[in-house]
Amino acid sequence: MVNQRQSKGTSKAIDERPYPPSWCRREISARCTIEAPAARVWELMTKVEEYGNWNPFIVQIDAGNSSTFSEGERVLLHVRMDDSKKITKTSLLVTHVSPPAVAKDSFGELKYVFNDWFLASSGMVKSARIQRVQVINSSQCEYTTVEFFGGCLWRFIPFDKVQKGFDIHAASLKLAAEKKEAGC
């Protein structure tokens, strides 16, 4: 069940956590509060050519000729699952891009689904990821990322490595945004 809270001054309920799809068998998530404006965090997490400068988990993104994520676009993530030099390439389809507004409790979301030509189309592995930046105030936001996993081979996904990667991703985004905010 999704926890919801009322946004002050409105009757609109704000989801604290995205709904899992019906096929979901397991989910991994990470969350942190960032002492930087939501717009700055959004800029860092959507400029694909900059990922390797701040993110040791997703070290590169190939997005064709695009410098940011676009709905309907296929992208290739270069992922380092642990401290090794080995890079795993993961094909994704961007399904939603919505930057955060300035108002308190507004949020921006980036959503994509696993798009490996064989594993995804056959239903062997399904995954959908949501990255959300929610405005707390003009100089603070909350970053949340959650990925839902399913398909008949979901048990073979290295969840401990994925969780570690998500934790590193969130901490690195926080560090980069706060460093940039401080002018370093």
Side-chain angles (χ1 to χ4, degrees):
M1 183 168 174
V2 172
N3 296 325
Q4 292 189 335
R5 62 186 168 86
Q6 293 292 318
S7 175
K8 291 182 182 177
T10 72
S11 61
K12 182 180 173 191
I14 305 294
D15 290 345
E16 291 183 358
R17 188 179 75 64
Y19 290 96
S22 60
W23 49 260
C24 179
R25 298 292 176 251
R26 174 98 188 250
E27 66 182 70
I28 299 288
S29 64
R31 176 181 282 192
C32 65
T33 299
I34 301 176
E35 302 297 325
R40 186 167 320 266
V41 174
W42 182 262
E43 178 184 357
L44 275 170
M45 68 176 252
T46 58
K47 279 193 167 182
V48 297
E49 73 275 2
E50 298 291 323
Y51 260 70
N53 295 335
W54 62 268
N55 193 335
F57 177 57
I58 301 173
V59 297
Q60 181 182 338
I61 299 175
D62 297 333
N65 295 327
S66 183
S67 61
T68 62
F69 291 100
S70 301
E71 288 181 24
E73 178 179 46
R74 295 191 191 304
V75 298
L76 187 65
L77 301 185
H78 299 252
V79 179
R80 182 176 293 129
M81 286 291 230
D82 51 32
D83 296 331
S84 74
K85 300 274 186 211
K86 184 179 177 194
I87 303 294
T88 302
K89 295 179 181 177
T90 303
S91 178
L92 304 171
L93 175 65
V94 178
T95 59
H96 181 76
V97 180
S98 170
V102 178
K104 182 179 179 189
D105 288 331
S106 70
F107 59 86
E109 284 187 326
L110 173 61
K111 298 179 182 181
Y112 43 86
V113 295
F114 177 64
N115 194 38
D116 176 271
W117 69 273
F118 178 71
L119 293 175
S121 64
S122 66
M124 290 184 189
V125 176
K126 293 182 178 185
S127 88
R129 184 170 180 187
I130 300 169
Q131 295 186 68
R132 179 183 283 178
V133 177
Q134 185 163 351
V135 176
I136 296 173
N137 59 46
S138 63
S139 62
Q140 191 180 48
C141 63
E142 182 172 85
Y143 170 75
T144 305
T145 184
V146 61
E147 188 158 358
F148 305 106
F149 297 92
C152 61
L153 297 178
W154 71 270
R155 290 178 181 87
F156 300 104
I157 295 169
F159 290 109
D160 57 332
K161 290 181 180 182
V162 176
Q163 182 64 64
K164 183 179 177 185
F166 274 34
D167 292 341
I168 289 168
H169 179 107
S172 298
L173 180 60
K174 175 181 174 66
L175 181 66
E178 290 176 353
K179 188 175 182 181
K180 194 169 188 177
E181 184 62 14
C184 298

